[in-house]
Amino acid sequence: MTKEEFSRYVTLMGQTAILPFYIKSENEEFIHAGTLTLVEYKGMFWAITAGHGLPESYQDGIFIPHKDGGFYNLLKVDGGVIRYDFKNNKAPDDPKYNDITIFNFIGKFGDKNYYKLDSNLLEEYDKKYFGWSGFPLKKSQNFHRTKDPQKIMKSSLKKDEFGKDRFHFMQALTANIKLIKIENNLVWGYEDLKDVHYAKDNIKKEQGYSFKGMSGGAIFLYRKPDCISLQEINNDKDFFYNMFLFIGIGIEHRNRKEVIGIYKDSIIAKLDILIDDVKNTLF
């Protein structure tokens, strides 16, 4: 694998624990609303997103594109899904800022990877930059009620260069953000979207894609190259777990410069509150 191929592989693997989600409008249109991040904590499986991507009407359904065509309603999963909202109107400068919606599942969602929240080997990860993976609106398609989602999805499902199934009507993006600080359960970074190189497509743009739609997507650190010989790992899941350290979810790109995320300790604190409730509800 060449250096360029390895870079693209890292980019694609960083996108294997996120999902795009759609909501249905009053006109029966499917509108791309944001990104879900899949995590595992204390033997339970969760999906997390930024609450501001979900309008009040989302109780009717949150829809995930499926390989067989059509949309999969996240709120009607066999066995049930439990939903929790942590939302207020505080500014992100406030340490009490909350903008998280959490879903709990009985089992895993298909063959997707999950970030394990019990890993904390920070010294083995590069802290100069962090990755932010999500599904920007600029690279996603909405579905008017006159369109046939099943036909569009099936025709757009292609194998990538590494043999993975990818939809082409929506494309994930991984941005490398300069890490400024982690403080008061918030992650702060900087990216002005100027002269951006996209490893997956091997292109450079004077003005990068907007991060709108990526709210709720995972932010993570990369493993230091000298800590493990990553290129010798030939198992995708082992590579994923060795390469990336989850540190939270992205929620805002303020003034097209400051990137703000919710740090994983805040997310874990909320999951600890929820675990007993989940057990009492399901069992």
Side-chain angles (χ1 to χ4, degrees):
M1 190 180 293
T2 67
K3 183 179 179 180
E4 290 75 19
E5 288 172 335
F6 183 70
S7 178
R8 291 197 296 273
Y9 180 68
V10 170
T11 299
L12 290 169
M13 288 305 297
Q15 300 166 358
T16 56
I18 58 171
L19 291 167
F21 69 86
Y22 286 68
I23 56 172
K24 189 183 288 188
S25 72
E26 294 180 356
N27 296 324
E28 298 295 306
E29 297 173 337
F30 288 99
I31 308 298
H32 178 216
T35 303
L36 287 168
T37 295
L38 303 175
V39 301
E40 180 180 353
Y41 182 61
K42 292 189 176 180
M44 294 184 177
F45 303 103
W46 313 80
I48 302 169
T49 192
H52 68 255
L54 295 165
E56 294 301 321
S57 60
Y58 85 91
Q59 285 85 351
D60 296 332
I62 296 174
F63 300 91
I64 309 296
H66 199 271
K67 289 181 182 179
D68 63 5
F71 286 95
Y72 187 88
N73 190 343
L74 196 65
L75 302 186
K76 294 185 178 179
V77 176
D78 290 342
V81 173
I82 303 175
R83 181 183 66 247
Y84 304 89
D85 291 296
F86 296 88
K87 296 173 70 173
N88 64 27
N89 295 317
K90 300 285 185 182
D93 311 77
D94 191 318
K96 298 179 181 178
Y97 181 76
N98 288 305
D99 187 21
I100 305 175
T101 296
I102 300 174
F103 302 91
N104 174 261
F105 304 89
I106 292 178
K108 282 193 170 185
F109 190 92
D111 61 353
K112 300 291 289 184
N113 284 323
Y114 282 68
Y115 289 101
K116 295 183 178 181
L117 301 195
D118 53 1
S119 178
N120 198 33
L121 301 173
L122 280 172
E123 68 277 4
E124 295 187 5
Y125 290 82
D126 185 352
K127 291 180 280 294
K128 294 179 181 178
Y129 294 87
F130 64 86
W132 181 12
S133 287
F135 290 87
L137 299 185
K138 284 285 188 180
K139 295 173 75 66
S140 300
Q141 177 178 337
N142 294 330
F143 292 87
H144 189 268
R145 65 173 183 266
T146 59
K147 295 181 179 179
D148 182 355
Q150 189 172 42
K151 182 178 179 181
I152 294 173
M153 289 183 197
K154 284 188 173 181
S155 65
S156 75
L157 188 63
K158 310 289 184 183
K159 297 283 186 184
D160 64 26
E161 63 184 298
F162 304 107
K164 305 296 182 185
D165 288 329
R166 302 273 174 184
F167 283 122
H168 287 266
F169 71 86
M170 58 175 191
Q171 296 183 41
L173 174 69
T174 297
N176 291 323
I177 312 295
K178 184 178 180 180
L179 177 59
I180 303 300
K181 62 181 178 179
I182 298 175
E183 184 177 87
N184 295 326
N185 280 328
L186 294 176
V187 180
W188 294 84
Y190 182 86
E191 173 55 62
D192 62 8
L193 294 178
K194 294 180 180 178
D195 297 320
V196 182
H197 177 258
Y198 294 98
K200 189 172 74 172
D201 300 320
N202 195 25
I203 60 172
K204 186 174 182 179
K205 294 175 68 70
E206 290 184 9
Q207 183 66 40
Y209 297 109
S210 167
F211 294 151
K212 189 174 183 180
M214 291 175 59
S215 295
I219 55 178
F220 50 84
L221 300 180
Y222 297 96
R223 195 68 170 263
K224 291 179 180 178
D226 57 350
C227 287
I228 188 171
S229 182
L230 292 167
Q231 296 216 41
E232 293 180 3
I233 299 176
N234 55 16
N235 178 288
D236 288 343
K237 288 193 178 296
D238 286 346
F239 182 91
F240 176 84
Y241 293 128
N242 279 284
M243 182 69 200
F244 308 107
L245 179 70
F246 177 83
I247 60 169
I249 60 170
I251 55 171
E252 182 181 1
H253 188 204
R254 182 190 289 177
N255 299 322
R256 299 180 71 84
K257 292 182 178 179
E258 291 180 313
V259 173
I260 304 168
I262 297 177
Y263 188 50
K264 72 171 185 176
D265 285 0
S266 178
I267 295 170
I268 288 173
K270 291 173 173 57
L271 293 177
D272 282 334
I273 293 170
L274 301 179
I275 282 176
D276 286 341
D277 183 53
V278 169
K279 289 180 177 177
N280 291 336
T281 302
L282 295 179
F283 308 106

